[in-house]
Amino acid sequence: MKAIWNGAVIAESDATVVVEGNHYFPREALDPRYFAPSENHSVCHWKGTADYFHVEVDGKRNPNAAWTYPTPSPAAAEIADHVAFWHGVEVVAA
């Protein structure tokens, strides 16, 4: 799978984990040039607390377009150290 935004491949992996229709990419599959930390957080009743990243490509920022569960609940343990996308980030087959 590839995650693409603003014409750049920001993540690529053949080992994503699909949860609730979202492909979670292993952290090492992300191109770190395109990610900046965010102070945004949210809570899912069964996965835990999510941390967000801004996606930045060619001087354009997509705020809070990526998220991860750094310490997911036991029910969501398979997405530990994985990142998912939204807000216009296209996830397509590689």
Side-chain angles (χ1 to χ4, degrees):
M1 300 300 294
K2 291 183 182 181
I4 302 167
W5 189 72
N6 199 30
V9 176
I10 61 173
E12 186 170 6
S13 176
D14 60 359
T16 62
V17 176
V18 180
V19 175
E20 296 181 326
N22 294 302
H23 283 269
Y24 283 78
F25 288 73
R27 286 288 291 255
E28 61 270 12
L30 277 63
D31 187 329
R33 297 176 296 170
Y34 301 124
F35 295 87
S38 167
E39 296 298 319
N40 197 47
H41 305 282
S42 65
V43 177
C44 171
H45 71 279
W46 75 274
K47 290 182 292 234
T49 300
D51 293 344
Y52 288 78
F53 301 95
H54 305 304
V55 175
E56 298 177 343
V57 176
D58 293 333
K60 293 185 180 177
R61 175 177 272 197
N62 189 344
N64 302 310
W67 74 91
T68 186
Y69 290 89
T71 53
S73 70
E78 67 184 344
I79 59 170
D81 297 319
H82 285 65
V83 177
F85 303 97
W86 65 339
H87 287 179
V89 175
E90 186 179 13
V91 176
V92 297

